[in-house]
């Protein structure tokens, strides 16, 4: 329910296909649209309704939509009650009546379905992330498949992807093994140059 309220209050405007980000300001706001790639982004894009592809401006700082005020106590109690029921009671029942593996899988699915915005963690050459599939590209309700390096027909497979509704969990390589070695070498050389120039 909270997510639907946020969607109704959020500006529905999307940027051009070259960037493909939704405006993160409130609906019916004054001034240009704004969007960031992530919570930690050092900059954001700004554009107006009729801008062409060269009309974007890059501004410093992160833009994130936040609803006005803090949720009421009743709303917080409802969220906590739902969490206790979904994780505690049902998880325990599955642990006792089925198996620990079933209980863990159930909790992972509940967490995946609660995702509202992308989260990625990089571990060496690999990245693990959950994100929402865009509304213009709804997948099947449940799917398991491969993530690819690009949209080309001959693009290589770089990981696994599990999709439930609009939520997608992906584990994939950031770069092919051969390119990763070269990337690490260039990164080490760049860091050495920066240290030398700092001294």
């Amino acid at each position: 329910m909270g997510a639907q309220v946020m969607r109704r209050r959020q500006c529905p405007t999307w940027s051009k296909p070259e960037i493909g980000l939704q405006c993160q300001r409130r609906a019916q706001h004054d001034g240009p649209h704004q969007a960031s790639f992530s919570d930690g982004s050092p900059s954001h894009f700004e554009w107006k309704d009729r801008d062409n592809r060269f009309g974007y401006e890059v501004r410093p700082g992160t833009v994130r939509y936040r609803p006005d005020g803090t949720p009421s106590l009743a709303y917080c109690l409802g969220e906590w009650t739902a969490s206790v029921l979904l994780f505690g009671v049902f998880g325990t029942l599955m642990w006792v009546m089925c198996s620990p593996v079933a209980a863990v899988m159930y909790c992972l699915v509940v967490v995946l379905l609660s995702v509202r915005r992308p989260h990625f963690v990089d571990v060496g050459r690999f990245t693990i992330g959950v994100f929402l599939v865009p509304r213009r590209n709804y997948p099947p309700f449940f799917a398991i498949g491969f993530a690819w390096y690009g949209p080309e027909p001959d693009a290589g497979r770089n990981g696994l992807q599990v999709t439930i509704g609009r939520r997608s969990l992906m584990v994939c390589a950031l770069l092919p093994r051969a390119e990763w070695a070269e990337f690490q070498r260039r990164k080490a050389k760049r860091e050495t140059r920066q240290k030398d120039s700092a001294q």
Side-chain angles (χ1 to χ4, degrees):
M1 183 174 143
Q4 291 171 353
V5 171
M6 284 182 66
R7 278 200 295 273
R8 281 202 300 272
R9 290 180 179 174
Q10 188 172 354
C11 175
T13 303
W14 287 82
S15 66
K16 304 298 186 293
E18 290 81 13
I19 298 176
L21 293 172
Q22 186 178 6
C23 175
Q24 291 157 351
R25 302 184 68 188
R26 288 183 58 80
Q28 300 175 349
H29 62 78
D30 293 324
H33 305 293
Q34 298 177 335
S36 304
F37 281 112
S38 69
D39 281 341
S41 177
S43 60
H44 66 268
F45 285 100
E46 193 171 276
W47 73 97
K48 295 177 182 170
D49 281 322
R50 288 175 293 280
D51 278 348
N52 61 25
R53 60 178 294 181
F54 302 107
Y56 294 110
E57 291 188 39
V58 180
R59 302 282 188 180
T62 304
V63 175
R64 280 284 144 195
Y65 168 73
R66 293 281 183 270
D68 286 340
T70 56
S72 65
L73 179 61
Y75 184 83
C76 291
L77 288 174
E79 275 194 329
W80 296 333
T81 304
S83 297
V84 168
L85 283 174
L86 289 173
F87 285 105
V89 176
F90 297 146
T92 304
L93 285 173
M94 292 194 75
W95 188 288
V96 172
M97 298 174 69
C98 300
S99 72
V101 174
V104 169
M105 291 302 296
Y106 167 78
C107 290
L108 288 175
V109 169
V110 171
V111 169
L112 180 62
L113 292 176
S114 69
V115 169
R116 293 288 179 266
R117 62 174 187 254
H119 301 277
F120 286 89
V121 177
D122 293 342
V123 182
R125 189 169 69 93
F126 296 88
T127 187
I128 303 166
V130 289
F131 56 92
L132 289 175
V133 176
R135 289 185 179 281
R136 59 185 178 271
N137 186 25
Y138 271 116
F141 178 74
F142 177 77
I144 298 176
F146 290 106
W148 303 82
Y149 279 113
E152 300 82 13
D154 59 344
R157 292 183 289 197
N158 71 334
L160 290 172
Q161 190 169 356
V162 178
T163 302
I164 301 176
R166 286 188 64 210
R167 278 74 179 177
S168 191
L169 170 66
M170 183 172 70
V171 180
C172 66
L174 294 166
L175 291 169
R177 189 175 285 108
E179 292 180 28
W180 179 253
E182 177 63 18
F183 172 80
Q184 290 290 82
R185 190 185 65 76
R186 286 200 313 266
K187 182 180 175 185
K189 185 185 278 187
R190 189 167 57 247
E191 288 173 353
T192 304
R193 275 203 310 268
Q194 287 174 349
K195 284 179 185 175
D196 292 343
S197 63
Q199 293 172 357

